[in-house]
Amino acid sequence: MIYCVEDDSTIRDLVVYTLKASGFEAKGFESGTTFREAMKQALPSLILLDVMLPGEDGLSILKSIRSNPQTSDIPVIMATAKDSEYDTVIGLDSGADDYLAKPFGMMEMVSRIKAVLRRTANKQRPAKLKCSAIELDEGRHTVAVDGKPVTLTLKEYELLKLFMENPGQVFTRDVLLSNIWGMDFAGETRTVDVHIGTLRTKLENSGDLIKTVRGVGYRLEEADEQ
């Protein structure tokens, strides 16, 4: 679904018609107010946003989109007046993914939209990872076991995240050092063992899911693998 926020009904109707004819679902909105109401019901895959709108302008709407964790990753293309370099620069600096200078051709618009969607397709929102009773929320940077918050150091958190992103995969101590502490870290592999030990303790019974692979390193197992 693509949302077009444009107060000129002729342009808005043409944009929506062209998008639908090009295989997209699309809806048009005449103001920030109607657009915000729609955003409460469903989030689009892309927003085409005019800078000059009655009431709240497009740049203000863009900033609110980028400041909200629920909408911050939605790609936005700004529509700006042809001679308004200032609005274009401000829009891009505020987080717009691309811009179209008015008046723009419909085929150019469709091409730009497809390009932005391709470019942002692999941009994932922060994940919520779960392994048995362990839950890790990347967006909030939190960990819980059986619903109870667990306080971890940064390195413990990064270790757990790496394990949860790759359940069942064995990581050697050297690989963990490289991934978590960086290639130039001067510590010994004992550093990994110490952090694994404290991580297991903080995870309580779920700490048993982090298995030692003798002579190799560590891996995270699901409960039913034990």
Side-chain angles (χ1 to χ4, degrees), residues 37-143:
E37 286 302 313
M39 290 285 279
K40 293 177 184 177
Q41 304 302 317
L43 297 179
S45 54
L46 182 142
I47 300 166
L48 182 60
L49 180 61
D50 188 25
V51 171
M52 300 298 291
L53 292 169
E56 186 179 18
D57 65 38
L59 292 174
S60 177
I61 294 173
L62 173 63
K63 289 176 182 177
S64 69
I65 290 170
R66 289 292 176 252
S67 65
N68 184 344
Q70 297 278 331
T71 60
S72 60
D73 288 336
I74 299 175
V76 177
I77 298 178
M78 301 295 294
T80 66
K82 189 172 184 180
D83 58 351
S84 182
E85 182 180 0
Y86 174 78
D87 285 341
T88 299
V89 172
I90 295 298
L92 293 173
D93 284 349
S94 298
D97 294 273
D98 201 353
Y99 74 94
L100 284 164
K102 287 183 171 183
F104 51 81
M106 290 298 104
M107 291 304 100
E108 178 192 4
M109 175 195 70
V110 171
S111 177
R112 292 284 191 93
I113 286 174
K114 288 180 177 179
V116 168
L117 287 173
R118 283 196 302 270
R119 199 164 68 234
T120 58
N122 296 323
K123 227 164 110 181
Q124 298 182 349
R125 301 187 178 202
K128 291 184 178 181
L129 306 175
K130 182 172 175 60
C131 180
S132 299
I134 308 172
E135 296 182 41
L136 185 149
D137 188 329
E138 287 189 68
R140 297 178 181 272
H141 206 273
T142 58
V143 173

